Short mmCIF file of all heavy atoms in Angstrom, two decimals:
data_model
loop_
_atom_site.label_atom_id
_atom_site.label_comp_id
_atom_site.label_asym_id
_atom_site.label_seq_id
_atom_site.Cartn_x
_atom_site.Cartn_y
_atom_site.Cartn_z
N GLY A 389 189.72 -17.91 -58.37
CA GLY A 389 190.02 -17.03 -57.25
C GLY A 389 188.81 -16.30 -56.70
O GLY A 389 188.92 -15.61 -55.69
N GLU A 390 187.65 -16.47 -57.35
CA GLU A 390 186.46 -15.73 -56.93
C GLU A 390 185.28 -16.64 -56.59
O GLU A 390 184.15 -16.18 -56.48
CB GLU A 390 186.04 -14.76 -58.04
CG GLU A 390 187.11 -13.71 -58.37
CD GLU A 390 186.73 -12.79 -59.52
OE1 GLU A 390 185.63 -12.98 -60.09
OE2 GLU A 390 187.52 -11.90 -59.85
N GLY A 391 185.56 -17.94 -56.43
CA GLY A 391 184.48 -18.87 -56.12
C GLY A 391 184.87 -19.85 -55.04
O GLY A 391 185.93 -19.74 -54.41
N SER A 392 184.02 -20.84 -54.83
CA SER A 392 184.23 -21.87 -53.82
C SER A 392 184.18 -23.24 -54.49
O SER A 392 183.70 -23.37 -55.63
CB SER A 392 183.13 -21.79 -52.75
OG SER A 392 183.10 -20.52 -52.13
N PRO A 393 184.67 -24.29 -53.82
CA PRO A 393 184.57 -25.64 -54.41
C PRO A 393 183.13 -25.95 -54.82
O PRO A 393 182.19 -25.68 -54.08
CB PRO A 393 185.04 -26.55 -53.27
CG PRO A 393 185.97 -25.71 -52.47
CD PRO A 393 185.38 -24.32 -52.52
N GLY A 394 182.97 -26.49 -56.00
CA GLY A 394 181.65 -26.83 -56.51
C GLY A 394 181.01 -25.75 -57.37
O GLY A 394 179.95 -25.98 -57.95
N ASP A 395 181.66 -24.59 -57.47
CA ASP A 395 181.09 -23.51 -58.30
C ASP A 395 181.33 -23.73 -59.79
O ASP A 395 180.72 -23.04 -60.61
CB ASP A 395 181.70 -22.16 -57.90
CG ASP A 395 181.09 -21.61 -56.61
OD1 ASP A 395 180.07 -22.16 -56.16
OD2 ASP A 395 181.65 -20.63 -56.07
N TRP A 396 182.22 -24.65 -60.14
CA TRP A 396 182.54 -24.89 -61.55
C TRP A 396 182.22 -26.34 -61.89
O TRP A 396 182.38 -27.24 -61.07
CB TRP A 396 184.02 -24.62 -61.80
CG TRP A 396 184.43 -23.22 -61.51
CD1 TRP A 396 184.35 -22.14 -62.35
CD2 TRP A 396 184.99 -22.72 -60.29
NE1 TRP A 396 184.83 -21.01 -61.73
CE2 TRP A 396 185.23 -21.33 -60.47
CE3 TRP A 396 185.32 -23.30 -59.07
CZ2 TRP A 396 185.78 -20.53 -59.46
CZ3 TRP A 396 185.86 -22.51 -58.07
CH2 TRP A 396 186.09 -21.15 -58.27
N PRO A 397 181.82 -26.60 -63.11
CA PRO A 397 181.56 -27.99 -63.51
C PRO A 397 182.86 -28.76 -63.68
O PRO A 397 183.93 -28.16 -63.86
CB PRO A 397 180.83 -27.83 -64.85
CG PRO A 397 181.33 -26.52 -65.39
CD PRO A 397 181.53 -25.63 -64.20
N THR A 398 182.79 -30.06 -63.63
CA THR A 398 183.93 -30.93 -63.88
C THR A 398 183.41 -32.24 -64.45
O THR A 398 182.28 -32.65 -64.13
CB THR A 398 184.75 -31.17 -62.59
OG1 THR A 398 186.00 -31.78 -62.92
CG2 THR A 398 183.99 -32.01 -61.61
N PRO A 399 184.16 -32.90 -65.30
CA PRO A 399 183.65 -34.14 -65.89
C PRO A 399 183.49 -35.26 -64.87
O PRO A 399 184.13 -35.28 -63.82
CB PRO A 399 184.75 -34.50 -66.92
CG PRO A 399 185.54 -33.26 -67.12
CD PRO A 399 185.47 -32.50 -65.84
N ALA A 400 182.62 -36.21 -65.19
CA ALA A 400 182.49 -37.42 -64.39
C ALA A 400 183.79 -38.22 -64.46
O ALA A 400 184.57 -38.08 -65.42
CB ALA A 400 181.33 -38.26 -64.88
N VAL A 401 184.05 -39.06 -63.45
CA VAL A 401 185.29 -39.81 -63.40
C VAL A 401 185.03 -41.30 -63.18
O VAL A 401 183.99 -41.70 -62.67
CB VAL A 401 186.22 -39.30 -62.27
CG1 VAL A 401 186.56 -37.83 -62.47
CG2 VAL A 401 185.61 -39.52 -60.89
N THR A 402 186.00 -42.11 -63.59
CA THR A 402 186.08 -43.52 -63.24
C THR A 402 187.20 -43.67 -62.23
O THR A 402 188.30 -43.14 -62.44
CB THR A 402 186.37 -44.39 -64.47
OG1 THR A 402 185.33 -44.23 -65.42
CG2 THR A 402 186.50 -45.86 -64.09
N THR A 403 186.94 -44.38 -61.12
CA THR A 403 187.93 -44.48 -60.04
C THR A 403 188.59 -45.86 -60.04
O THR A 403 187.92 -46.88 -60.15
CB THR A 403 187.26 -44.23 -58.68
OG1 THR A 403 186.72 -42.91 -58.66
CG2 THR A 403 188.28 -44.37 -57.54
N TYR A 404 189.93 -45.84 -59.92
CA TYR A 404 190.72 -47.07 -59.86
C TYR A 404 191.34 -47.17 -58.46
O TYR A 404 192.16 -46.33 -58.08
CB TYR A 404 191.81 -47.07 -60.92
CG TYR A 404 191.26 -47.11 -62.32
CD1 TYR A 404 190.91 -45.93 -62.98
CD2 TYR A 404 191.06 -48.31 -62.98
CE1 TYR A 404 190.39 -45.96 -64.27
CE2 TYR A 404 190.54 -48.35 -64.27
CZ TYR A 404 190.21 -47.17 -64.91
OH TYR A 404 189.69 -47.20 -66.18
N PRO A 405 190.98 -48.20 -57.68
CA PRO A 405 191.56 -48.36 -56.34
C PRO A 405 192.98 -48.90 -56.44
O PRO A 405 193.35 -49.55 -57.43
CB PRO A 405 190.62 -49.36 -55.67
CG PRO A 405 190.08 -50.16 -56.81
CD PRO A 405 189.96 -49.23 -57.98
N PRO A 406 193.78 -48.67 -55.39
CA PRO A 406 195.16 -49.18 -55.43
C PRO A 406 195.21 -50.67 -55.11
O PRO A 406 194.35 -51.20 -54.41
CB PRO A 406 195.86 -48.37 -54.34
CG PRO A 406 194.77 -48.06 -53.36
CD PRO A 406 193.51 -47.88 -54.19
N GLU A 407 196.24 -51.32 -55.61
CA GLU A 407 196.51 -52.72 -55.30
C GLU A 407 197.93 -52.80 -54.78
O GLU A 407 198.85 -52.22 -55.37
CB GLU A 407 196.36 -53.59 -56.56
CG GLU A 407 196.73 -55.04 -56.36
CD GLU A 407 196.74 -55.82 -57.66
OE1 GLU A 407 196.45 -55.22 -58.71
OE2 GLU A 407 197.06 -57.03 -57.61
N ARG A 408 198.12 -53.50 -53.66
CA ARG A 408 199.47 -53.60 -53.12
C ARG A 408 200.29 -54.59 -53.93
O ARG A 408 199.89 -55.75 -54.11
CB ARG A 408 199.44 -54.03 -51.65
CG ARG A 408 200.84 -54.05 -51.04
CD ARG A 408 200.85 -54.33 -49.56
NE ARG A 408 202.20 -54.29 -49.04
CZ ARG A 408 202.52 -54.55 -47.79
NH1 ARG A 408 201.56 -54.86 -46.91
NH2 ARG A 408 203.78 -54.51 -47.40
N VAL A 409 201.44 -54.12 -54.44
CA VAL A 409 202.33 -54.95 -55.25
C VAL A 409 203.73 -54.83 -54.66
O VAL A 409 204.35 -53.75 -54.71
CB VAL A 409 202.32 -54.51 -56.73
CG1 VAL A 409 203.27 -55.38 -57.55
CG2 VAL A 409 200.91 -54.57 -57.30
N THR A 410 204.25 -55.90 -54.12
CA THR A 410 205.56 -55.87 -53.46
C THR A 410 206.66 -55.42 -54.42
O THR A 410 207.57 -54.67 -54.04
CB THR A 410 205.91 -57.26 -52.90
OG1 THR A 410 204.90 -57.66 -51.98
CG2 THR A 410 207.25 -57.24 -52.19
N ALA A 411 206.58 -55.83 -55.68
CA ALA A 411 207.61 -55.45 -56.66
C ALA A 411 207.69 -53.94 -56.81
O ALA A 411 208.77 -53.40 -57.06
CB ALA A 411 207.30 -56.11 -58.00
N TYR A 412 206.56 -53.25 -56.67
CA TYR A 412 206.57 -51.80 -56.81
C TYR A 412 207.16 -51.12 -55.58
O TYR A 412 207.85 -50.10 -55.70
CB TYR A 412 205.16 -51.27 -57.06
CG TYR A 412 204.55 -51.69 -58.38
CD1 TYR A 412 203.17 -51.76 -58.54
CD2 TYR A 412 205.35 -52.03 -59.46
CE1 TYR A 412 202.60 -52.14 -59.74
CE2 TYR A 412 204.79 -52.42 -60.67
CZ TYR A 412 203.42 -52.47 -60.80
OH TYR A 412 202.85 -52.85 -61.99
N GLU A 413 206.91 -51.69 -54.41
CA GLU A 413 207.50 -51.11 -53.20
C GLU A 413 209.02 -51.20 -53.27
O GLU A 413 209.73 -50.24 -52.95
CB GLU A 413 206.96 -51.85 -51.97
CG GLU A 413 205.46 -51.68 -51.77
CD GLU A 413 204.91 -52.56 -50.67
OE1 GLU A 413 205.73 -53.31 -50.05
OE2 GLU A 413 203.70 -52.53 -50.41
N GLU A 414 209.53 -52.35 -53.70
CA GLU A 414 210.97 -52.50 -53.86
C GLU A 414 211.48 -51.65 -55.02
O GLU A 414 212.57 -51.07 -54.96
CB GLU A 414 211.30 -53.97 -54.10
CG GLU A 414 210.92 -54.88 -52.93
CD GLU A 414 211.01 -56.35 -53.27
OE1 GLU A 414 211.19 -56.68 -54.47
OE2 GLU A 414 210.92 -57.19 -52.34
N GLY A 415 210.68 -51.56 -56.07
CA GLY A 415 211.09 -50.80 -57.25
C GLY A 415 211.25 -49.32 -56.96
O GLY A 415 212.18 -48.67 -57.46
N LEU A 416 210.35 -48.75 -56.15
CA LEU A 416 210.44 -47.33 -55.84
C LEU A 416 211.73 -47.02 -55.09
O LEU A 416 212.42 -46.04 -55.40
CB LEU A 416 209.23 -46.89 -55.02
CG LEU A 416 209.23 -45.43 -54.56
CD1 LEU A 416 209.31 -44.47 -55.74
CD2 LEU A 416 207.98 -45.13 -53.72
N SER A 417 212.08 -47.84 -54.12
CA SER A 417 213.33 -47.63 -53.37
C SER A 417 214.53 -47.71 -54.30
O SER A 417 215.46 -46.90 -54.21
CB SER A 417 213.45 -48.67 -52.25
OG SER A 417 212.41 -48.53 -51.31
N ARG A 418 214.50 -48.67 -55.21
CA ARG A 418 215.61 -48.83 -56.16
C ARG A 418 215.67 -47.64 -57.11
O ARG A 418 216.75 -47.12 -57.42
CB ARG A 418 215.41 -50.14 -56.93
CG ARG A 418 216.54 -50.46 -57.91
CD ARG A 418 216.22 -51.73 -58.66
NE ARG A 418 217.20 -52.01 -59.70
CZ ARG A 418 216.95 -52.73 -60.79
NH1 ARG A 418 215.72 -53.26 -60.95
NH2 ARG A 418 217.87 -52.93 -61.70
#
Side-chain angles (χ1 to χ4, degrees):
E390 299 177 359
S392 302
D395 283 348
W396 299 275
T398 192
V401 301
T402 299
T403 299
Y404 295 86
E407 175 187 0
R408 184 174 181 183
V409 179
T410 302
Y412 294 155
E413 296 172 1
E414 298 170 349
L416 177 58
S417 297
R418 183 183 174 205

